[in-house]
Every structure is written in structure tokens, then in C-alpha cells.
Amino acid sequence: MPSYKAPVEEVLFLLRDVFDIERRGDLPGFAEATPDLIEAILSEAAKLCEDAVQPLNQLGDRVGCTRHPDGRVETPQGFKDAYRAFVAGGWLGLSAPPEFGGQGLPFTLATIVNEFASSANMAFAMYPGLSQGALAAILTHGSESQKKIFAPKLISGAWSGTMNLTESHCGTDLGMLKTKAVPSADGSYEIFGQKIFISAGEHDLAENIIHLVLARIEGAPAGVKGISLFVAPKFLIEADGSLGARNKVACGSIERKMGIHGNSTCVMNYDGAKAWLVGEPNKGLNAMFVMMNEARLGVAIQGLAVSEVAYQNAASYAKDRLQGRSLAGPKYPEKPADPIIVHPDVRRNLMTIRAFNEAARALILWTALESDVAHRTADAAERQAATDHLALLTPVLKGVLTDVGFDNTVKAQQVFGGHGYISEWGMEQFVRDARIAMIYEGANGVQALDLVGRKLARDGGRAIMSFFTTVRSFIKENDAEPELKPYLAGVRQGADHLEQATLWFMQNAMAKPDQAGAGSYDYMHLLGLVALGFMWARIAKAALAARANEPARAAPMEAKLLIGKYFMERIMPETGAHLARITAGSDTLMAMPAEQF
């Protein structure tokens, strides 16, 4: 049976040594987040995820969710108790506004808890995760009345949330949706239509489920310009806040799927469900993007989270499993064979995963901190820079971290050999669970198109230019430090490749859009590699300082420096391959007639 230990010390190192979270004490919520409180929060979250959530992961995968003939959905045994513990601890409201019952602490802390929960049990973590996304959309675009009705209940966990976008004929192209909203005399609407792939669409964890639904008001313009966002509760809400009659929305079936069996992925049927407009008519996609961007960062975290738990189990197995002898001679002559950790190829898999995990966690925390700045600072320039960071890196985080996270679960499975293919060890579940993260909340190819087609050119390329400035400035400021040179050299070369690729798009993609499409996926991964490499340079700087100033931390810091050096030697050179593929253009890719495929 697999195990999991939340990387609390690793997160504390990043918050304190790499990002110096205490310097953000000027932001609302940060002054309250003292070092002692942060450590206590992370320790308690770790305990909950390790003890209450992780043990249910394999059970949830084996049993899945059950739909009853009346449309009710029952989650796997133990999920209700774990959910009660989760909401009783106030974890859903960790960073939510205090005026609605939240604790108002940094979003960064909620991001860390999300990672711990997703590593422990990805399917379970989706239930509270979707509620947090629905809360964000309502707080941003809902009326004052809607905020008052829905926010406290979502924050407490008494009610949960969903997002209803996809229909059987439209996923990415939401302009094709057919779900319609018919106005009622009382100002509400009746929703008619069917949505598919709705995560947590029906379950028994919360007393009410708040569905955020994209639909087209009768007579609205065609395409995305005619889409509106509605809130449709499972149970209608009386004037006094109590629950009333069952709304006309029901789970028609549970999707049979590859992984995340413990989460109820539903077909939802709307047969005149009573709903209320959120935001302005025909502006629903903008409102839903608040939830989608939250979800995309959450999915990026899933990529890291499953990679982390897969690594932990593979590393433990590699130190115990005896097979063969070291090529350099027996390392454990008293044993019948050496542990497989002595073999270079096993180490290649493990070090590749770990090198990604540590940099990916840093990149997520950097972005989460920028999100806190964007939403909490009073400084307009700071807010703009943080918003640019989020716009540029959200598609990169979603695409790169889920692609590589899935690859890493396969590498971890490989360490187990044949046992990795057997269910009881849990590795094949990690592979299956991780696979969906590359697809939902916008398939990764779409993330790449969004990055190259929209984010690069926005505001005259301000966001990517700011990124280059940040990276180049760090290199210049630290170039004289001899022990940092191996890390800075790799980042410098990667940044050079990224600048060349950006210039190539500027020169070739405007007149021929297929050039951008053909190179977008490689560009996303190229930018992701440079961002991860930059994180390793910052980690290395902090590790060198900690090693010099705190002898008790010398051993773990030395390990970090070795892993970072491995990243620069073995992974960072891939930026050159991405650049070569980008500059190959689209001619060969687009030349073959469709009928020849």
C-alpha cells in the first residue's frame, strides 16, 4: 500500500529562505501569518492529509462513486468522515474573506494545503477545490445578495460548488453550447440542457451543491458573445436561508473513466432548473474564467502533487528492493544483492522526478505569492506586474506541470518494475489519476495556443519582457558568486533560447499563423523549463546561504545543490531541442492532406 508524507520542511524552506515571505507583511493577511502560525498550519494540514485523507485513496479508486436510481450519488466509504474533518478544520476558508466567515490568510497557504490534499488523495481533494473556485467566481462577479447567500456556506463547507461548461458537442469551443436560459417573471431563469464531465456534480458530502452553469439566454447572440453565467443550487433556498424544494437538476449518470474514481464525474441534466444570473448578461465567459483560472492553477498543483507522492514511494522502494549488483562492485556485500538505488538508471528516474518536483513547487509558490500581491496590494504598479505574471504563467503551469507530472508517475512506476504494474502497490493508480490533468480545464495544446496566441502579444509583450528582465537581473546580480555559476549558466542559455524563440514568432507567425500553432507546444515547455531553471537558481542561492550559516542544515542543503546541478546538466539542455522544433516551422507539419492520415 502506498504512503505519503507531506513535504512540510521543504515548503518552509521555500517560504522562508527562497521567497522571504515575511517581507510581505505589508499585505492584508500576511502580518497575521507569523512563522510559528505558518508552521502550525502546515503541520496540521499534513496530519489531516496523511492520517485521514491518504488512507482512502486506494479504496476510492477501487470502489468509486455509486449512483442510485433516484439520481443520488454516494461517495466511497470514509469520504464523508474525511470531508467533515476537512471542513471542521476550516481549511476551505483559510484564505477566504473574513466578512463571509473566512480566515483571510494568504492564498499561498491555501495553495500549499491543496498540494498536500491532492498528493494524499487527488479525487477527494477535488471536492473542496471546486468549491473554492465557485467561491472565487461568486465573490468576483456575484451580486451582494448572492455573496451573502452563497459565500458563507461555501466557505464553511456546508455547501459545495461545481462548474458546468462542457456539453457533448462542445468542450474547448464553448461558443457552440446549446444549454438555454429562459427568463421567468420573477427575474430568475429556467435552465434547459445537458452538461457532461461535471466533477463533483452530485454527491453526499454537503447538504447543497451550488452549480455555476454557462447557458445562452433566449435571443442572445451566437458564439461566445452570447454566453451568460448562472447559479443553480441543487436545493432551492428559502428567504430565511433554509433549504427548500429540490431543483430540477439531476445526475443522469456517472462517467466511467480512467482514473480519479473517487470523484463523481457526472452527466447533469437541467430540466427547467431555477437559476439566477451571475454578473451581466452575455458576459458569462469572463465570469467563468475567474473559476477556470483558479482551476487551472489547481490542476497544475495536481501535476506536482501526484508526481511528489509517486516519487516518495519509488524512492522508498528503490532503497529496499534488492536486485543485482552495482556496476562498480557490491555496495552491500553482506546482502544477497544491492538495493536498486545503486543502479544509474534507477537514479536517473528518481533524480529527474525530484529535480522537477522541487522546482515546480517553487514555481507554484512564486505564482501563488504573486496572486496574493495582485489581489491584496494597494500599489497599482505592483498589482499590474503581479497580474502580468499570472496571465503569462498560468497556462505554462497548467500545461508543463501536468505533462511532466504524468511523465514522472510513469518513471516512478518504472522503478517498481513488474510490481509497478500491479494494483496493490498503487503506482498504476498514480499514472491513471495524473493523466486527466493534461486534459481537463483546457487541454494542454490549448494552453500552449493561449500562451502564444494571446499572452505573448498582450500589451505589447509586457509580461514576457518583464519575465526576461526578472531572470536577467537575477543572473547579473549573482554572476560574481562562483558556486552559483553552474546554475546561472544553464538559466542564461535557456533564456537565450527563449528570447530567440520569441523573436522567431514575432518575425514569422504574424503573416503565417500556423507557425505559431506549430511551435506553441514547444514554446510552452521552453518557457516552463526556463522558469523551472530560474527557480533552481534561486533555490541554489538560498541553499548556499543556509549551508554556510546553519551547519545543522548542511546535509539537506547539499542534497538540494546536487539535485539542482543535475537539473542543469540533464534537463535544462532540452531548451535547445525546443528551440530547434519551433524554428523548424509549420510547412512539413501542415503539408500532408487530411485524407492521408
Side-chain angles (χ1 to χ4, degrees), residues 140-202:
T140 304
H141 291 281
S143 66
E144 291 305 312
S145 174
Q146 288 169 345
K147 294 175 188 178
K148 184 178 178 180
I149 293 169
F150 298 113
K153 293 291 189 179
L154 288 169
I155 289 169
S156 72
W159 299 352
S160 67
T162 71
M163 54 191 298
N164 287 236
L165 288 76
T166 306
E167 300 176 10
S168 59
H169 57 282
C170 74
T172 302
D173 190 356
L174 288 169
M176 297 172 62
L177 69 79
K178 296 178 181 178
T179 300
K180 66 179 181 179
V182 180
S184 299
D186 63 358
S188 66
Y189 292 80
E190 292 183 338
I191 305 294
F192 296 87
Q194 184 182 80
K195 299 289 185 176
I196 65 170
F197 305 159
I198 308 306
S199 300
E202 171 65 22

Side-chain angles (χ1 to χ4, degrees), residues 33 62 95 106 161 163 175 185 218 259 319 332 339 399 414 459 479 501 506 512 522 550 566:
R62 287 196 304 269
S95 63
M163 54 191 298
E218 285 188 320
K319 288 183 282 188
Y332 297 82
Q414 190 74 14
D459 301 310
D479 223 6
M506 292 171 61
K512 193 173 183 180
D522 277 287
E550 302 176 62
Y566 176 90

Side-chain angles (χ1 to χ4, degrees), residues 313-530:
N313 285 273
S316 177
Y317 182 85
K319 288 183 282 188
D320 289 339
R321 175 71 168 173
L322 304 181
Q323 287 286 283
R325 290 294 187 185
S326 166
L327 296 174
K331 300 295 185 184
Y332 297 82
E334 74 282 3
K335 295 182 178 182
D338 286 334
I340 62 173
I341 193 70
V342 306
H343 301 309
D345 194 61
V346 171
R347 286 176 167 247
R348 175 186 63 83
N349 280 318
L350 292 175
M351 292 184 77
T352 298
I353 302 170
R354 182 167 167 181
F356 164 81
N357 288 353
E358 295 197 21
R361 183 173 294 109
L363 187 56
I364 285 173
L365 290 185
W366 183 30
T367 303
L369 285 165
E370 291 297 312
S371 179
D372 274 318
V373 172
H375 291 97
R376 300 176 187 232
T377 186
D379 185 300
E382 269 198 340
R383 183 166 55 253
Q384 184 63 73
T387 301
D388 286 347
H389 174 105
L390 292 169
L392 180 71
L393 286 186
T394 294
V396 176
L397 283 163
K398 196 282 179 183
V400 174
L401 268 58
T402 59
D403 275 353
V404 181
F406 171 75
D407 289 345
N408 287 346
T409 62
V410 175
K411 287 182 174 68
Q413 183 186 38
Q414 190 74 14
V415 170
F416 280 74
H419 290 295
Y421 204 66
I422 303 302
S423 295
E424 69 179 275
W425 291 90
M427 304 308 290
E428 57 86 31
Q429 182 190 346
F430 297 146
V431 173
R432 289 185 288 105
D433 284 352
R435 185 63 183 88
I436 185 56
M438 302 162 71
I439 298 172
Y440 60 14
E441 304 309 334
N444 288 352
V446 175
Q447 301 299 323
L449 285 173
D450 176 49
L451 172 66
V452 172
R454 296 178 182 173
K455 303 300 172 58
L456 282 188
R458 179 180 290 178
D459 301 310
R462 185 177 65 206
I464 189 65
M465 291 301 107
S466 176
F467 177 81
F468 282 129
T469 298
T470 300
V471 173
R472 296 291 192 193
S473 296
F474 182 89
I475 294 172
K476 185 177 180 180
E477 291 165 7
N478 295 279
D479 223 6
E481 173 55 59
E483 289 189 281
L484 275 180
K485 287 192 180 296
Y487 309 94
L488 298 180
V491 179
R492 180 184 288 110
Q493 184 177 58
D496 288 344
H497 290 157
L498 183 62
E499 285 190 350
Q500 292 173 50
T502 306
L503 180 62
W504 191 88
F505 279 140
M506 292 171 61
Q507 295 172 339
N508 294 276
M510 293 294 290
K512 193 173 183 180
D514 277 343
Q515 302 278 30
S520 61
Y521 184 80
D522 277 287
Y523 188 90
M524 177 180 73
H525 276 272
L526 173 52
L527 176 50
L529 267 178
V530 174

